[in-house]
Amino acid sequence: MAARLPSWAWVSGLTVGATAAVIALAIQAEHGPHPTAAVVRPSPSATVSTAASPTAETPKKPSGPPALPEASGQGRRIVYSVGEKRVWLVDATGEATRTFTVWPGTVSPQPGRYTVLGRMPAGTGSDGVAIEHILYFTHTPAGDAAFSNAIDGSSPPPANGKQTTGIRLHKADGTALWAFGDSGTRVAVVK
């Protein structure tokens, strides 16, 4: 009667075989053709254009998202700009890894330095909307200021004169902020 191989031997053999196949494919791909971009050169034109062209005096519009506010602190932190209605997630090196716009409540937190005081996976906002990924970071006379996103991904409805302190995010941004902002994470609120 033939002896059976233990399961670890089968798993090890399959792992070695799969690794060898991946290495062989990588070597084969390295020696294959690599796409290159074609260089297109403009053809000379006999006519002169009278259209305005950019000069040193014409300011160029910045491309990409707004830069991280300079007075927002150092190190790993969440930065919230009340005026720009924008949040930046900043890593330990001081680089913004993600930025996104938000819908602020009717009462904004005062500029300053805070920390994430608490986290709740889900709840109900002061506007009656089911929310998730709630990160509380300060208390205001109108209520606790927190980041959150609506579970259904909607934007907040008009406050109808009610004071709200929640800062609502798009669903994907709420998920990213939840993963980034542990209790104790620094929060910088700027104008």
Side-chain angles (χ1 to χ4, degrees), residues 9-120:
W10 282 101
V11 171
S12 296
L14 289 172
T15 302
V16 168
T19 302
V22 168
I23 290 171
L25 289 172
I27 291 170
Q28 186 179 16
E30 182 63 30
H31 294 295
H34 297 287
T36 58
V39 176
V40 178
R41 300 192 189 278
S43 60
S45 174
T47 60
V48 176
S49 173
T50 57
S53 61
T55 65
E57 298 164 9
T58 305
K60 291 184 178 180
K61 291 184 180 180
S63 62
L68 179 66
E70 289 184 26
S72 66
Q74 301 288 323
R76 188 175 187 278
R77 64 200 182 279
I78 299 165
V79 177
Y80 171 49
S81 170
V82 175
E84 291 189 41
K85 300 177 186 172
R86 178 172 289 277
V87 167
W88 290 263
L89 305 183
V90 183
D91 67 15
T93 67
E95 294 294 319
T97 59
R98 184 179 183 122
T99 183
F100 46 87
T101 57
V102 298
W103 294 284
T106 60
V107 178
S108 295
Q110 291 297 310
R113 304 293 187 261
Y114 306 97
T115 59
V116 173
L117 300 172
R119 294 164 41 104
M120 280 186 49

Side-chain angles (χ1 to χ4, degrees), residues 132-188:
E132 63 184 352
H133 303 135
I134 309 161
L135 272 68
Y136 295 98
F137 64 93
T138 189
H139 307 291
T140 72
D144 293 333
F147 299 106
S148 66
N149 64 271
I151 289 176
D152 67 3
S154 66
S155 65
N160 295 328
K162 188 173 187 177
Q163 289 190 330
T164 58
T165 55
I167 301 158
R168 194 68 50 83
L169 293 74
H170 296 274
K171 191 167 180 76
D173 298 327
T175 301
L177 185 65
W178 179 258
F180 184 87
D182 298 324
S183 287
T185 299
R186 291 182 293 165
V187 178

